[in-house]
């Protein structure tokens, strides 16, 4: 563990916004005090494909307190209809079950909910397809994603001393932040005011301005606190558009829409299901000769979204012969979007399970197999690593977890009726680089530095950690920094997706701090001010930059019932410099919990007849809860990476989920001898294959 530092970066600082959160005074999107808000209720399709033939809203409109009904009959005008997920109510076509086909705007929640039931929506259903198949006749290659082929994979697999072929599958998974997607909108004098639960205030501003033909400066978005997003709040979804349409229908009046939990399963994006065939070939010593990863996923008809699961197989281990392919089946399903470690979460499940299968086939320890195939340079780009400490993480983890002396034989450890096993997996995640953000620094009358940037805190601790980075960049104590984030009135900032938050915003603050000192020196006056962005980092083109990690899990499985428990998990990470050990640990164990949940519980169950996910609440779609999580430990090795950015941070928002589901699956195999290749791992699969 890192030691407590007196410097701002590295300090074990409690959350600055903690008191506001625990006293309930932190204002989330729905909670901004506004006079006489109206309430938006979406009307939704109940067939997966077809068209709306008529909407009879007369009874709803006759209800006192119903202010407006929106439908495609009188389509709210949009300036840009190129994004079909967002171009709602522009046509009667239905693209998926649960699609927005209208809305009620009402004086109260009660009136709105009642009015929804009074609307008669006639739909003509067409034949739908919602089930992913690798032999779907309409498979397509995602735009901009090329197949990769190096050497001759088929020959290398044929000639390999040992090879494995395995097909893995992962289900639809849903982002389920505690705070649902929420918009509060007011349209007044051609200007739009939004309180939005979003990961990017400027992203919302720009998207909405384009859609409604407004100047960006006429759209003001505020999001001081956000109750989680896991990627789904990184882009605008249809409910935000619907809320703005509703606000325009009742000018001057604020309208509110918070998705219900079932609506979160269709209108907030999701992770596509995947089918992944991994083939590995190695020589007798375990050196990989071939790595091949073929991927199939579904994509919606409204918007293509590539879940790039093969990306990790392109860089994780070295092999002279390599192949990666990616195909998508367009189906009548809702639009996907980002979900924590997009692509890499399901991809690492397949690759890291396959490595375990290869280790078993070789009779080699799975850690040793990974060590022997640790590439000196990035196999994908040929660039040197800015730093790569996967092996150090594996070794540190083996030591802490107690790996030494582990029997390689599956089903060899028993404790009463419990079968016990352990598993390991590697992890890697490349933090995005998002240049172009700006920050303003100004000396306030009390002598503190106002630091203004349109960043946001999705719940991870940005209020605290960005204050620390700003203090370090300015060379002052954290108490000297008054951070302002979460508003488009602040300088432009990019979405923090892809673990880019601290790296991107922090680089921006370093650039602004340097510009401030250049302009005003070490002893500035009240009102001295500078707005600037990050300096270019030429190292970004010269190095492959990744956070690495090693995941360990122990499982216990009831030999009679197949009940699965995970008494402990350990993650050891190499994420560069850690800004705040308290918030970092929280991020990492949060990611690992996500992985545990992915391994054992989460599945959007698609009903082929209904044409929709039917497990659309938190009772049927279980997300790991406290009772599921026992001993969960995350730690990190000291790592100084001089290339990544001025802070030396590499991004830790997503690495916790990478490989963690594979570690659990590998432990399940070790405990039972049953290789479950289809997530989630449920008792029936453990028993059924026995
Ligand atoms: Mo993250 S899924 O890139 O917001």
């Amino acid at each position: 563990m890192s030691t407590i530092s007196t410097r701002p970066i590295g300090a074990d600082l409690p959350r600055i916004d903690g008191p506001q959160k625990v006293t309930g005074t932190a204002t989330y999107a729905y909670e901004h005090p506004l006079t006489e808000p109206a309430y938006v209720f979406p009307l939704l399709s109940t067939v997966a494909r077809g068209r709306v033939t008529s909407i009879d809203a007369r009874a709803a409109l006759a209800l006192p307190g119903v202010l407006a009904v929106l439908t495609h009959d009188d389509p709210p005008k949009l300036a840009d209809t190129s994004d079909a997920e967002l171009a709602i109510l522009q046509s009667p076509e239905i693209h998926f079950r649960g699609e927005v086909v209208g809305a009620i705007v009402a004086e109260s929640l009660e009136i709105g909910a009642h009015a929804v039931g009074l609307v008669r929506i006639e739909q003509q259903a067409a034949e739908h397809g919602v089930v992913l198949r690798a032999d779907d006749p309409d498979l397509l290659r995602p735009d901009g994603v090329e197949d990769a082929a190096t050497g001759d994979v088929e020959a290398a697999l044929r000639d390999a001393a040992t090879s494995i072929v395995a097909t893995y599958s992962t289900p639809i998974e849903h982002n389920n932040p505690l705070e649902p997607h929420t918009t509060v909108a007011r349209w007044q004098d051609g200007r739009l005011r939004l309180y939005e639960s979003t990961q990017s205030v400027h992203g919302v501003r720009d998207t909405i301005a384009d859609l409604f033909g407004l100047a960006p400066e006429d759209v003001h978005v505020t999001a001081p606190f956000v109750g989680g997003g896991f990627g789904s709040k990184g882009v605008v979804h249809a409910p935000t558009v619907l809320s703005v349409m509703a606000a325009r229908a009742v000018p001057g009046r604020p309208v509110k829409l918070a998705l219900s939990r079932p609506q979160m399963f269709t209108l907030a994006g999701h992770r596509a299901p995947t089918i992944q065939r991994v083939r590995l070939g190695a020589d007798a010593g375990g050196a990989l000769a071939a790595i091949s990863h073929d991927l199939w996923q579904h994509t919606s008809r409204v918007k293509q979204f590539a879940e790039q699961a093969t990306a990790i197989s392109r860089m994780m281990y070295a092999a002279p012969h390599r192949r990666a392919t990616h195909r998508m089946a367009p189906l009548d399903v809702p639009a996907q979007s980002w979900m924590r470690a997009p692509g890499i979460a399901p991809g690492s499940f397949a690759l890291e399970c396959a490595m375990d299968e290869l280790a078993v086939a070789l009779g080699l320890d799975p850690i040793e197999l990974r060590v022997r195939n640790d590439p000196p340079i990035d196999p994908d780009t040929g660039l040197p690593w800015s730093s790569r400490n996967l092996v150090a993480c594996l070794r540190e983890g083996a030591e802490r977890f107690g790996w030494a002396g582990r029997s390689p034989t599956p089903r060899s450890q028993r404790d009463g009726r419990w079968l016990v096993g352990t598993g390991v997996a590697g992890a890697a995640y490349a933090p995005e680089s998002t240049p172009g953000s700006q920050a303003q620094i100004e000396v306030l009358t009390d002598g503190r530095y106002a630091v203004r940037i349109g960043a946001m805190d999705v719940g991870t601790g940005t209020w605290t950690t960005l204050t620390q980075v700003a203090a370090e960049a300015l060379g002052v104590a954290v108490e000297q920094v008054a951070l302002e984030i979460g508003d488009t009135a602040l300088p432009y900032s990019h979405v923090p997706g892809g673990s880019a938050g601290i790296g991107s915003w922090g680089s921006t603050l370093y650039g602004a701090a340097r510009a401030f000192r250049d302009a005003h020196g070490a002893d500035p006056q009240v009102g001295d001010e500078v707005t600037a962005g990050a300096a270019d980092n030429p190292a970004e083109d010269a190095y492959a930059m990744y956070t690495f990690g090693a995941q360990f899990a122990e499982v216990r499985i009831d030999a009679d019932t197949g009940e699965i428990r995970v008494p402990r998990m350990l993650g050891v990470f190499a994420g560069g410099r850690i800004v705040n050990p308290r918030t970092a640990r929280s991020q990492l164990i949060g990611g690992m919990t996500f992985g545990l949940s992915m391994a054992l519980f989460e599945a959007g169950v698609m009903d082929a007849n209904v044409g929709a996910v039917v497990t659309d609440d938190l009772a049927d779609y279980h997300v790991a809860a406290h009772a599921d999580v026992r001993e969960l430990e995350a730690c990190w090795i000291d790592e100084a990476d001089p290339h990544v950015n001025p802070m030396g941070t590499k991004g830790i928002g997503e690495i916790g989920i990478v490989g963690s589901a594979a570690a659990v699956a590998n432990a399940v195999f070790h405990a039972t001898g049953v290789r479950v290749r289809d997530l989630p791992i449920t008792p029936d699969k453990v028993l059924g294959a026995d």
Side-chain angles (χ1 to χ4, degrees):
M1 277 288 185
S2 289
T3 48
I4 292 174
S5 161
T6 50
R7 293 173 67 184
I9 290 185
D12 185 28
L13 206 64
R15 285 175 191 250
I16 288 169
D17 53 334
Q20 281 166 283
K21 288 198 169 163
V22 298
T23 56
T25 54
T27 36
Y28 290 80
Y30 206 81
E31 299 168 334
H32 290 272
L34 294 164
T35 41
E36 290 194 57
Y39 299 86
V40 185
F41 282 78
L43 301 170
L44 305 172
S45 69
T46 55
V47 302
R49 186 174 193 175
R51 60 202 324 266
V52 175
T53 49
S54 76
I55 297 184
D56 180 353
R58 283 171 297 181
L61 277 166
L63 193 68
V66 170
L67 302 172
V69 178
L70 310 178
T71 73
H72 74 269
D73 284 334
D74 181 16
K77 221 174 126 31
L78 290 179
D80 176 0
T81 55
S82 57
D83 184 331
E85 182 193 0
L86 304 182
I88 51 172
L89 311 188
Q90 304 301 295
S91 93
E93 296 302 314
I94 296 169
H95 306 88
F96 60 90
R97 194 179 199 272
E99 186 172 12
V100 173
V101 297
I104 301 280
V105 189
E107 294 274 359
S108 74
L109 285 168
E110 292 77 9
I111 294 168
H114 180 54
V116 168
L118 299 178
V119 180
R120 290 180 59 90
I121 304 172
E122 301 295 337
Q123 300 154 92
Q124 190 176 52
E127 191 86 5
H128 65 251
V130 293
V131 178
L132 172 65
R133 294 193 344 233
D135 63 352
D136 189 294
D138 297 328
L139 289 177
L140 51 90
R141 188 167 52 74
D143 295 339
V145 179
E146 300 299 328
D147 292 347
T150 308
D152 187 341
V153 158
E154 307 303 329
L157 285 166
R158 234 179 4 253
D159 299 343
T162 304
S163 63
I164 61 113
V165 181
T167 300
Y168 304 88
S169 50
T170 62
I172 300 175
E173 291 160 358
H174 302 270
N175 316 56
N176 264 303
L178 205 53
E179 182 202 24
H181 288 234
T182 303
T183 303
V184 176
R186 188 178 60 218
W187 188 286
Q188 199 152 32
D189 307 324
R191 302 192 75 219
L192 183 62
R193 187 78 177 90
L194 287 172
Y195 301 90
E196 176 84 0
S197 183
T198 177
Q199 292 174 235
S200 173
V201 286
H202 286 98
V204 170
R205 181 196 70 173
D206 292 351
T207 303
I208 292 297
D210 284 351
L211 273 169
F212 288 87
L214 297 167
E217 54 274 20
D218 286 337
V219 181
H220 182 181
V221 186
T222 297
F225 298 101
V226 179
F230 312 118
S232 64
K233 293 175 184 168
V235 288
V236 171
H237 295 292
T240 302
V241 181
L242 185 68
S243 303
V244 175
M245 289 173 166
R248 200 164 55 174
V250 290
R253 189 130 190 209
V255 303
K256 292 185 167 191
L257 170 58
L259 290 186
S260 68
R261 190 55 65 178
Q263 290 165 356
M264 290 285 293
F265 286 74
T266 43
L267 295 174
H270 65 269
R271 196 197 301 284
T274 68
I275 299 169
Q276 303 179 60
R277 184 179 66 149
V278 181
R279 296 179 296 165
L280 302 175
D283 69 17
L288 282 164
I291 301 175
S292 176
H293 193 160
D294 301 302
L295 164 69
W296 296 267
Q297 62 158 109
H298 81 202
T299 194
S300 74
R301 294 191 193 278
V302 285
K303 186 187 271 180
Q304 210 186 78
F305 184 94
E307 183 74 21
Q308 298 212 41
T310 65
I312 192 157
S313 298
R314 298 181 188 217
M315 53 65 63
M316 194 67 177
Y317 305 109
H321 305 280
R322 318 164 58 76
R323 164 190 152 108
T325 68
H326 187 157
R327 296 292 179 271
M328 312 201 292
L331 297 175
D332 305 304
V333 296
Q336 306 136 247
S337 66
W338 296 329
M339 181 163 166
R340 202 170 194 174
I344 307 302
S348 64
F349 166 68
L351 176 67
E352 292 297 316
C353 285
M355 285 295 278
D356 199 68
E357 299 206 39
L358 181 65
V360 171
L362 285 160
L364 195 63
D365 179 82
I367 292 180
E368 183 58 27
L369 175 65
R370 289 173 173 85
V371 171
R372 288 186 191 179
N373 287 287
D374 198 55
I377 58 167
D378 176 13
D380 191 30
T381 60
L383 295 174
W385 307 104
S386 65
S387 55
R388 175 171 170 130
N389 281 305
L390 173 63
V391 171
C393 291
L394 288 164
R395 296 226 192 278
E396 174 79 15
E399 181 71 30
R400 286 173 179 258
F401 193 75
W403 190 261
R406 172 187 186 260
S407 162
T409 314
R411 216 182 173 96
S412 61
Q413 206 184 332
R414 200 171 170 132
D415 178 12
R417 64 178 213 270
W418 297 98
L419 303 172
V420 182
T422 52
V424 67
Y429 196 85
E432 293 280 338
S433 164
T434 50
S437 298
Q438 296 268 305
Q440 183 188 47
I441 297 174
E442 182 187 351
V443 179
L444 299 171
T445 47
D446 64 6
R448 290 186 306 155
Y449 294 83
V451 175
R452 303 182 176 115
I453 180 168
M456 48 63 63
D457 190 335
V458 72
T460 50
T462 308
W463 277 108
T464 311
T465 50
L466 216 50
T467 297
Q468 292 174 262
V469 172
E472 179 116 350
L474 284 163
V476 300
V478 288
E479 294 77 19
Q480 285 296 104
V481 172
L483 183 72
E484 296 177 39
I485 58 173
D487 200 298
T488 51
L490 302 166
Y492 185 87
S493 168
H494 275 290
V495 61
S499 297
I502 285 296
S504 164
W505 298 327
S507 298
T508 304
L509 296 188
Y510 263 72
R514 168 165 296 203
F516 183 90
R517 292 295 183 217
D518 286 350
H520 303 297
D523 194 17
Q525 304 302 303
V526 170
D528 282 352
E529 174 272 325
V530 150
T531 300
D536 281 344
N537 180 7
E540 279 179 12
D541 299 322
Y543 295 93
M545 299 176 176
Y546 286 84
T547 297
F548 289 91
Q551 306 270 9
F552 293 79
E554 179 183 321
V555 304
R556 294 162 77 84
I557 295 177
D558 188 305
D560 299 319
T561 67
E563 178 184 340
I564 305 165
R565 299 209 176 164
V566 179
R568 62 190 180 114
M569 290 174 79
L570 166 71
V572 181
F573 302 96
R577 202 156 155 225
I578 296 301
V579 174
N580 181 327
R582 190 180 303 226
T583 55
R585 179 178 173 278
S586 167
Q587 283 255 64
L588 293 167
I589 64 171
M592 292 166 66
T593 307
F594 226 98
L596 171 69
S597 200
M598 176 182 174
L600 299 185
F601 308 123
E602 294 190 38
V605 175
M606 183 62 87
D607 183 315
N609 292 317
V610 171
V613 164
V614 290
T615 50
D616 60 350
D617 58 49
L618 291 181
D620 287 324
Y621 184 97
H622 181 62
V623 176
H626 284 274
D628 302 307
V629 178
R630 305 307 295 262
E631 232 182 84
L632 195 56
E633 195 190 336
C635 56
W636 46 89
I637 61 169
D638 282 330
E639 182 177 66
D641 187 321
H643 305 298
V644 277
N645 56 40
M647 297 79 63
T649 64
K650 292 211 290 194
I652 53 166
E654 281 153 307
I655 189 75
I657 187 176
V658 182
S660 41
V664 172
N666 295 339
V668 167
F669 172 77
H670 188 235
T672 63
V674 179
R675 183 64 74 174
V676 181
R677 301 187 180 91
D678 174 48
L679 290 184
I681 305 166
T682 46
D684 56 306
K685 293 176 188 170
V686 177
L687 288 176
D690 201 2

